Amino acid sequence: MKNIAIIGAGTMGNGIAHTFAQSGFKVQLIDISDASLERGMATITKNLDRMIAKERISEADKLETLSNITTFTSIPEGVKAADLVVEAATENIDLKLKIFKQLDEACHKNTVLATNTSSISITQIAAVTSRPDMVIGMHFMNPVPIMKLVEIIRGYTTSDSVTKIIMELSKKLGKTPTEVNDYPGFVANRILMPMLNESIETLYNGVAGVQEIDTVMKLGMAHPMGPLQLADFIGLDVCLSILNVMYDGFKNPKYAPCPLLVNMVQAGKLGVKSGEGFYDYSESRKAEKVAKQFLK
Ligand code: NAD
């Protein structure tokens, strides 16, 4: 595989593009507007500069990485040469089904189609294409250039050979791919989200305050970040939507989102991205400080 098309230049898409480009792949980064692509490229440049400052890469590595990325605002044009497409567009089922139908028509018949979805069924996405055996989940973790795990999700129809190709490819990125099956939340979110939800429930029940809950988990369980801070960092709307996917998928009340989480999302308190969640990020650069603390 040489040419990798990435759909979406947001938080995850630009990180995935950065990671492939730094490993020597040719990347076609696609988004709906020039403004989104410019923002994505600016983030990649900033992250490469940070790596230079930490003496992890050279100036020449940065230039080579950037020269491996070409940007497009049209899916059919951007995916023409792709051996693999990694879709990292907004987490919305209708949007993803539409994109995969489009990809199926525009891509070469040998192109593997992967999605970075956090919670949507790979099997359902695969079913709208004429190549369900060649559709797979490639769930990178945020921030992509730093986090080692890629959760490789086999849909009901994903072939052994495609799974093997994607496992090997992930290793070439310096990642540790881990194969799992396609059930709601896969493995990462099936375990993480109930823990975050229980932390919110603990707060809701008045057992302890925000700082106290996070301190117990940070110092007592050696978590790098407390669960409430992590929920803020992921986005409370994202946590709610993943919990709802698991609640609907398993029909099990243990995944029911805490009413406090629902209220906060309805009030627009989404965590770092909205300036307020369990913590207050309203002072101009506080949100970035939280992210940097996590990156260290
Ligand atoms: P984001 O909102 O930061 O970025 C989404 C990007 O997709 C935006 O730039 C948007 O313009 C673009 N987009 C929307 N429709 C498009 C289309 N039709 N064609 C091309 N681009 C389009 O979202 P994100 O956080 O990067 O999440 C992307 C995916 O990654 C989601 O499926 C999400 O569940 C998954 N994910 C997110 C995280 C995380 O921590 N943020 C972690 C793992 C997986």
Side-chain angles (χ1 to χ4, degrees), residues 199-265:
S199 313
I200 302 168
E201 196 82 34
T202 307
L203 177 71
Y204 175 64
N205 291 338
V207 180
V210 171
Q211 296 281 357
E212 288 74 14
I213 291 168
D214 276 358
T215 302
V216 167
M217 297 305 284
K218 269 196 290 190
L219 302 187
M221 317 298 154
H223 288 192
M225 191 186 252
L228 298 173
Q229 195 178 27
L230 179 57
D232 273 356
F233 184 65
I234 294 171
L236 301 191
D237 53 337
V238 175
C239 295
L240 178 60
S241 117
I242 298 173
L243 280 161
N244 275 329
V245 165
M246 294 199 289
Y247 185 44
D248 291 345
F250 291 115
K251 308 279 183 265
N252 184 334
K254 82 174 174 180
Y255 300 107
C258 174
L260 174 59
L261 174 64
V262 177
N263 261 354
M264 289 178 75
V265 172

Side-chain angles (χ1 to χ4, degrees), residues 56-166:
R56 291 205 193 133
I57 61 165
S58 66
E59 183 69 31
D61 294 331
K62 171 188 159 183
L63 295 178
E64 198 183 329
T65 301
L66 290 173
S67 75
N68 281 338
I69 307 175
T70 317
T71 57
F72 296 85
T73 48
S74 143
I75 289 186
E77 209 188 314
V79 301
K80 255 192 285 190
D83 301 304
L84 166 70
V85 180
V86 183
E87 174 277 318
T90 317
E91 185 80 343
N92 172 304
I93 176 93
D94 295 332
L95 174 68
K96 295 214 191 264
L97 297 182
K98 192 177 125 211
I99 289 175
F100 272 78
K101 276 186 202 151
Q102 217 179 341
L103 290 175
D104 192 37
E105 280 166 22
C107 290
H108 187 274
K109 64 176 178 20
N110 293 331
T111 306
V112 173
L113 305 181
T115 171
N116 185 54
T117 179
S118 308
S119 61
I120 296 169
S121 160
I122 310 301
T123 308
Q124 190 179 357
I125 292 174
V128 300
T129 73
S130 63
R131 59 185 94 191
D133 54 323
M134 294 173 72
V135 176
I136 191 161
M138 225 179 159
H139 186 203
F140 289 87
M141 304 290 134
N142 185 18
V144 183
I146 306 227
M147 299 291 275
K148 288 279 172 213
L149 178 70
V150 190
E151 195 178 24
I152 304 294
I153 305 124
R154 289 189 65 136
Y156 192 83
T157 44
T158 311
S159 71
D160 288 344
S161 59
V162 164
T163 306
K164 194 161 169 249
I165 289 168
I166 296 301

